Amino acid sequence: MVSAAEQMAANTSWAALGKATDLRHRIFFTLGLLIVYRLGTYIPVPGIDGAALRDFMEQASQGIGGIVSMFTGGALGRMGIFALGIMPYISASIIVQLLTAMVPALEQLKKEGEQGRKKINQYTRYGTVLLALFQAYGLAASLEAGDLAHDPGWYFRASVVITLVGGTMFLMWLGEQITARGIGNGISLIIFVGIIAEVPAALAQFFESGRSGAISPAVIVGVMVMVVAVIAFVVFMERALRKISIQYPRRQVGMKMTEAQQSHLPVKVNPSGVIPAIFASSLLLMPTTIATFSQAGQTGPIMSTILAYFGPGQPLYLLFFAAMIVFFAYFYTFNVSFKPDEVADNLKNQNGFVPGIRPGKKTAEYLEYVVNRVLVLGSGYLAAVCLLPEVLRAQYAIPFYFGGTSVLIVVSVTMDTIQQVQSHLLAHQYEGLIQKSQLRGKGKTRKKRGAPSRR
């Protein structure tokens, strides 16, 4: 059965978009800032040898270079000012959220409302600067080691670090502006646009390889069918719920007696969303990116080992990727997105209970048991979607990078953005109905006042 919200969304008229002025302004504002982001990916970092970088990225496009370039919207391949992308901010926000669940002082800060949320956001920004500084310096040193700099030295490193950190902080500001004054989640939309922008070039390269005979037509058809099937599977799993029955007893509120009610507690099959996949990808990309840029020069034994065992498609890479996805799926769910103890306490305070389960501790244990079983399917689904393209790409030598993490991000962001647009349209329709009812009420009042009195 579909929910009431889904029924209302299905009845939403998209023709009302032309009348929803505020929603239209939000959409144009979002599109404008996303265009600014795309233009920034073409502004190069000073001091880079463009020809040498182009040749190097063409060689690395099938490996880690393609992975990072996909997440940065091609800015890394052009070594633009947004080459780090928004990944430092995402990594910092996830780390702060995990610390909030483990550190009592931060957890108490989270419960303080708006002021506590502002302080946590400030800590996230500080963490973003630290991570961006570390990654930018490592990238600058790697560019020097790969003979990709015109004038190597501390001046070059400083200019690269300042430019890349400034670009990341500007992207973070863009994302916050989109979230506050636009439509959708700004940070997610920036990643979404970066991934989508690389799809046309990747498809053209893919079909060109098929035309030249490097890839057989059967592989091309198989990949297209697999992409459609994976997208359909992701949509199905992201909408899948495990409903836990909740009952509210008959009670008296003021002078009114309310009847007993029955509801349900929805538990998503994947409560953590794409965060486990993003966090696992960011951890794997950091050391391997530096190793990849260093291979054009003299590669040390540590970097050679990283490239040999933790390169894309390698068994240890796949094993470590799957293990981190499963770990972060459980860890993030029970410490951030769904805490059984807090849910049980909220149900108890609202006089709600699970049929056959005592309120309080027993309810928390039951919820933990249910979520644990659901997460077996959810974490397995995440790992399968993320690893399947990696295995197929390594087996069939597909000349561009495509990954399950990208598919997860694109599908999830699309669904969330459409839901927000539908919510704004519903609100606009309700405002129109309220205004019409008020006008009708005023009209009736005037008619009554102007009518002659009967004798």
Side-chain angles (χ1 to χ4, degrees), residues 329-345:
Y330 275 88
F331 189 85
Y332 189 85
T333 297
F334 283 111
N335 290 278
V336 178
S337 60
F338 189 93
K339 295 183 178 181
D341 293 334
E342 292 185 0
V343 175
D345 290 340

Side-chain angles (χ1 to χ4, degrees), residues 155-171:
Y155 179 78
F156 169 77
R157 295 185 184 182
S159 62
V160 170
V161 168
I162 293 173
T163 304
L164 293 182
V165 173
T168 297
M169 300 309 294
F170 181 73
L171 279 185

Side-chain angles (χ1 to χ4, degrees), residues 340-341 344-345 348 357-365:
D341 293 334
D345 290 340
K348 186 177 181 181
I357 307 294
R358 295 183 61 182
K361 184 178 179 181
K362 292 294 183 181
T363 300
E365 292 176 355

Side-chain angles (χ1 to χ4, degrees), residues 117-187:
R117 188 181 64 82
K118 288 182 179 179
K119 290 183 179 179
I120 291 177
N121 289 340
Q122 198 67 24
Y123 294 152
T124 304
R125 295 188 182 98
Y126 295 150
T128 303
V129 173
L130 292 177
L131 288 177
L133 283 172
F134 173 74
Q135 294 182 17
Y137 182 80
L139 192 56
S142 301
L143 290 170
E144 284 188 354
D147 294 329
L148 301 177
H150 285 300
D151 187 16
W154 281 106
Y155 179 78
F156 169 77
R157 295 185 184 182
S159 62
V160 170
V161 168
I162 293 173
T163 304
L164 293 182
V165 173
T168 297
M169 300 309 294
F170 181 73
L171 279 185
M172 183 183 68
W173 179 81
L174 279 184
E176 292 177 350
Q177 292 300 309
I178 291 174
T179 303
R181 302 169 58 187
I183 194 76
N185 183 281
I187 303 300

Side-chain angles (χ1 to χ4, degrees), residues 251-262:
R251 54 182 178 173
Q252 184 172 358
V253 180
M255 299 297 293
K256 190 175 181 180
M257 183 69 70
T258 62
E259 298 294 331
Q261 298 178 353
Q262 185 172 0

Side-chain angles (χ1 to χ4, degrees), residues 36-250:
V36 171
Y37 158 63
R38 287 303 303 160
L39 292 176
T41 60
Y42 290 91
I43 302 175
V45 172
I48 301 294
D49 188 347
L53 177 66
R54 227 173 3 255
D55 295 339
F56 174 76
M57 289 306 297
E58 286 178 1
Q59 298 174 3
S61 61
Q62 297 186 27
I64 196 71
I67 300 175
V68 185
S69 185
M70 177 70 78
F71 275 104
T72 59
L76 182 68
R78 296 180 287 269
M79 198 49 62
I81 60 175
F82 297 150
L84 291 182
I86 201 67
M87 296 306 290
Y89 176 78
I90 292 176
S91 300
S93 63
I94 294 174
I95 291 173
V96 170
Q97 286 180 353
L98 296 179
L99 289 176
T100 302
M102 296 185 293
V103 179
L106 291 177
E107 188 174 3
Q108 183 62 32
L109 196 63
K110 184 180 179 181
K111 298 178 180 178
E112 292 181 2
E114 184 66 21
Q115 294 300 322
R117 188 181 64 82
K118 288 182 179 179
K119 290 183 179 179
I120 291 177
N121 289 340
Q122 198 67 24
Y123 294 152
T124 304
R125 295 188 182 98
Y126 295 150
T128 303
V129 173
L130 292 177
L131 288 177
L133 283 172
F134 173 74
Q135 294 182 17
Y137 182 80
L139 192 56
S142 301
L143 290 170
E144 284 188 354
D147 294 329
L148 301 177
H150 285 300
D151 187 16
W154 281 106
Y155 179 78
F156 169 77
R157 295 185 184 182
S159 62
V160 170
V161 168
I162 293 173
T163 304
L164 293 182
V165 173
T168 297
M169 300 309 294
F170 181 73
L171 279 185
M172 183 183 68
W173 179 81
L174 279 184
E176 292 177 350
Q177 292 300 309
I178 291 174
T179 303
R181 302 169 58 187
I183 194 76
N185 183 281
I187 303 300
S188 300
L189 282 174
I190 288 175
I191 302 176
F192 170 82
V193 170
I195 295 173
I196 292 297
E198 293 298 298
V199 170
L203 288 177
Q205 185 181 3
F206 183 47
F207 290 125
E208 179 62 26
S209 300
R211 191 181 66 84
S212 62
I215 300 178
S216 65
V219 173
I220 295 179
V221 174
V223 169
M224 300 302 292
V225 171
M226 188 206 70
V227 169
V228 174
V230 168
I231 292 175
F233 180 63
V234 170
V235 172
F236 174 78
M237 293 299 293
E238 289 298 321
R239 293 173 60 91
L241 298 173
R242 165 68 161 88
K243 297 181 179 180
I244 301 175
S245 297
I246 303 294
Q247 288 188 353
Y248 295 93
R250 185 179 180 183

Side-chain angles (χ1 to χ4, degrees), residues 3 13 46 221 269 293 327 402 453:
S3 62
S13 174
V221 174
V269 172
F293 275 98
F327 171 75
F402 73 100
S453 58

